[in-house]
Structure formats: C-alpha cells, structure tokens
C-alpha cells in the first residue's frame, strides 16, 4: 500500500492520547489498590456510586480487603491490557501506521479488553462482596451482583470498536487489492 501521511493534528492528538493511556496504565492499579487498602470512606473517589462503596466504608480487617483486592485484580488487569493496547494503537497512529495488521490487532485488543472487563467485573462481584461483608458475622453477610447502565455502555462501546476494527481490516484489504491492479 502506498504510504500516506497522517495529518500533523491527528499525529499530535494521537501522541497526547498515547500519553494519557500510559498515565491511566500507571494510575489504574494504584487507584484500585488504594480503594481497597486505605480504610475508611476514601473509596468514593475511585468507586463512585457502585455497590462496593458502602461495603468498603466499614472497618473491614486487612485480610478481607486483600482477598477482595485479589479478585478485583482480574477486571483491573483487563483495563490495563486495554490501556496498553490503546497506547500502542495511538503510538502507531502517530507514527503514520494506520492500517497495518499490528495496528488493527491493537484496536481489536481494545474491544476484547472492554468486553472481558465487564464480564469479569460482574463475575467477581459475588466473592468481593462476600469477603467485604464476612467480618459482619452470620446473618449480616451479603453476596451482591449489579449490572448497570455503565456496564451496558461499555459493552456497546466494545461492540462499536470491534466493528470499526473489522471495517478497517476490510478497507485495508480493498486498498491492497486496488493497488495490485495498477
């Protein structure tokens, strides 16, 4: 395929987004860890209005918070994979690599990471909520599951990104075919 240059404003925006994705990659595990490790009502800034917010406000012993954090590490890992893939994608865009197989793989990875994060996050809610309520004793323990509009929004966005990745792959194949006729 003939080399086409990425407009400088797109390259610059891609570099900014790569930097932000890298910052998120660094901050995400720190924020998740802090939400579970800093006792008291400090989880609001990370958890927002989720069902875990109230559970983390109590005086939960460290071993239970560590256990809950271990489960929460699974969806966090998918977020980090998505951010890593997004960073790589934006760096490739900034380097004028828009339609290569590796670029399309990065875009596909972002979609898969979004899907997986929502599914895994839902799956770990039961053990996380049980661990966080276990110290309350018999009759006060809870297993909680929640699926909200944010989850559905993430699933929809993952589908959109996946379709865009597939459309770009088709466009790349068509451009390669067109060039071979000339």
């Amino acid at each position: 395929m003939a080399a086409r240059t990425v407009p400088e404003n797109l390259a610059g925006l891609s570099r900014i987004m790569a930097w932000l994705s890298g910052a998120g990659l660094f901050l995400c595990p720190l924020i998740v860890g802090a939400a579970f490790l800093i006792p008291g009502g400090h989880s609001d800034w990370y958890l927002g209005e989720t069902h875990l917010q109230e559970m983390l406000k109590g005086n939960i012993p460290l071993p239970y918070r560590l256990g809950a954090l271990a489960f929460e590490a699974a969806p966090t890992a998918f977020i980090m994979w998505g951010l890593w893939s997004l960073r790589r994608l934006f760096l490739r865009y900034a380097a004028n690599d828009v339609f290569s197989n590796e670029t399309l793989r990065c875009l596909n990875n972002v979609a898969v990471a979004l899907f997986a994060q929502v599914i895994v996050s839902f799956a770990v809610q039961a053990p996380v909520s049980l661990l966080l309520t276990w110290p309350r004793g018999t009759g006060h323990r809870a297993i909680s599951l929640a699926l909200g509009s944010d989850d559905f929004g993430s699933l929809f966005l993952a589908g959109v990104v996946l379709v865009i990745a597939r459309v770009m792959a088709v466009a790349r194949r068509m451009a390669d075919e067109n060039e071979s006729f000339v």
Side-chain angles (χ1 to χ4, degrees), residues 5-15 94:
T5 60
V6 173
E8 186 54 39
N9 60 348
L10 179 58
L13 181 59
S14 294
R15 282 189 289 277

Side-chain angles (χ1 to χ4, degrees), residues 9-152:
N9 60 348
L10 179 58
L13 181 59
S14 294
R15 282 189 289 277
I16 290 168
M17 292 304 296
W19 186 89
L20 289 172
S21 299
L25 185 63
F26 173 76
L27 291 173
C28 181
L30 293 177
I31 291 169
V32 172
F36 283 86
L37 297 178
I38 299 172
H42 305 291
S43 62
D44 295 0
W45 52 276
Y46 160 66
L47 295 172
E49 295 298 321
T50 69
H51 70 287
L52 292 178
Q53 185 181 36
E54 285 302 314
M55 292 179 196
L56 277 168
K57 284 189 176 181
N59 189 15
I60 301 159
L62 182 61
Y64 295 98
R65 286 185 281 129
L66 287 174
L69 177 58
F71 280 102
E72 191 64 30
T76 302
F78 282 109
I79 292 171
M80 292 177 66
W81 178 44
L83 286 168
W84 174 257
S85 297
L86 201 55
R87 181 179 181 280
R88 289 179 55 223
L89 175 72
F90 286 125
L91 288 173
R92 294 183 91 68
Y93 286 165
N96 198 32
D97 180 6
V98 178
F99 289 107
S100 72
N101 285 334
E102 185 59 30
T103 300
L104 296 176
R105 190 174 303 113
C106 289
L107 187 57
N108 192 64
N109 288 349
V110 170
V112 171
L114 281 168
F115 272 122
Q117 186 275 330
V118 171
I119 293 165
V120 171
S121 183
F122 180 77
V124 302
Q125 287 177 28
V128 167
S129 60
L130 182 61
L131 280 165
L132 293 177
T133 59
W134 192 264
R136 295 178 184 172
T138 306
H140 300 284
R141 295 178 182 130
I143 294 177
S144 118
L145 293 171
L147 202 59
S149 58
D150 288 350
D151 299 317
F152 289 111

Side-chain angles (χ1 to χ4, degrees), residues 1-8 10-11 92-100 168 171-180 182:
M1 185 175 344
R4 294 177 183 92
T5 60
V6 173
E8 186 54 39
L10 179 58
R92 294 183 91 68
Y93 286 165
N96 198 32
D97 180 6
V98 178
F99 289 107
S100 72
M168 287 179 67
R172 178 178 183 257
R173 281 194 303 272
M174 291 172 68
D176 287 344
E177 288 174 12
N178 285 340
E179 273 192 26
S180 68
V182 177

